[in-house]
Amino acid sequence: GCAALRLGAMPYLCAGSAEFRARWFPDGLTHAALVAAPAIVFGRHDDMHEEFLRRHFGLDARRYPHHIVPSSESFMAFALAGLGYGFIPEVQARPHLARGELVDLAAQREDVVLYWHHWQVQSPVMARLARTIAEEAARALGERRAG
């Protein structure tokens, strides 16, 4: 008896430092540049980057240089240091974009749908926690909740 509650979609953007863009993508995201530029991938099972490159540029799986950085703080540090480019949650990237530390490389978002998994039969405290998480996620993700 488990249930999954859709919390909303978290937008990610393809970003890197301005210096990284100048060095690796002076003509934008081209097929030739993407097979040469080092990417940052969150983990071995994270396929967001791979799917983006396949869908928009026809690149085969892992046919591009990449770092695997399974920590959101370290992922951001890699991008800020100009060591690669990757998909960063928009909410995490926003202050760095405003300060010019990061640039949006693709001018499009990739949404990741988030869910809260919980037991169907819950204690009153856990039911209240689930409601609060759903309400706060809706607020943070800019989505409306029914009812």
Side-chain angles (χ1 to χ4, degrees):
C2 291
L5 175 63
R6 185 184 191 279
L7 298 176
M10 179 178 284
Y12 281 68
L13 56 93
C14 185
S17 71
E19 295 79 15
F20 187 88
R21 178 180 61 187
R23 177 178 178 192
W24 294 97
F25 300 126
D27 299 319
L29 298 181
T30 64
H31 189 279
L34 289 165
V35 297
I40 311 166
V41 177
F42 190 76
R44 295 188 192 287
H45 301 292
D46 176 15
D47 65 353
M48 180 186 303
H49 200 104
E50 189 172 302
E51 283 298 311
F52 173 81
L53 294 180
R54 184 191 56 74
R55 201 170 46 249
H56 297 286
F57 298 95
L59 283 171
D60 294 332
R62 305 288 186 209
R63 209 183 128 226
Y64 54 92
H66 61 280
H67 307 283
I68 296 176
V69 184
S71 156
S72 64
E73 293 83 9
S74 296
F75 194 107
M76 180 64 77
F78 263 61
L80 291 169
L83 299 174
Y85 74 104
F87 282 89
I88 301 171
E90 185 177 42
V91 67
Q92 187 181 14
R94 196 174 298 134
H96 301 286
L97 292 167
R99 291 190 296 265
E101 298 165 344
L102 287 179
V103 292
D104 187 347
L105 299 170
Q108 68 185 55
R109 305 296 185 256
E110 295 291 319
D111 288 340
V112 173
V113 178
L114 304 176
Y115 294 90
W116 173 254
H117 297 266
H118 59 88
W119 295 110
Q120 285 183 353
V121 178
Q122 299 183 77
S123 70
V125 170
M126 291 307 292
R128 191 169 52 244
L129 175 64
R131 276 193 310 276
T132 301
I133 287 171
E135 290 166 2
E136 290 304 314
R139 187 178 353 272
L141 298 171
E143 297 199 8
R144 288 193 221 204
R145 281 273 161 243

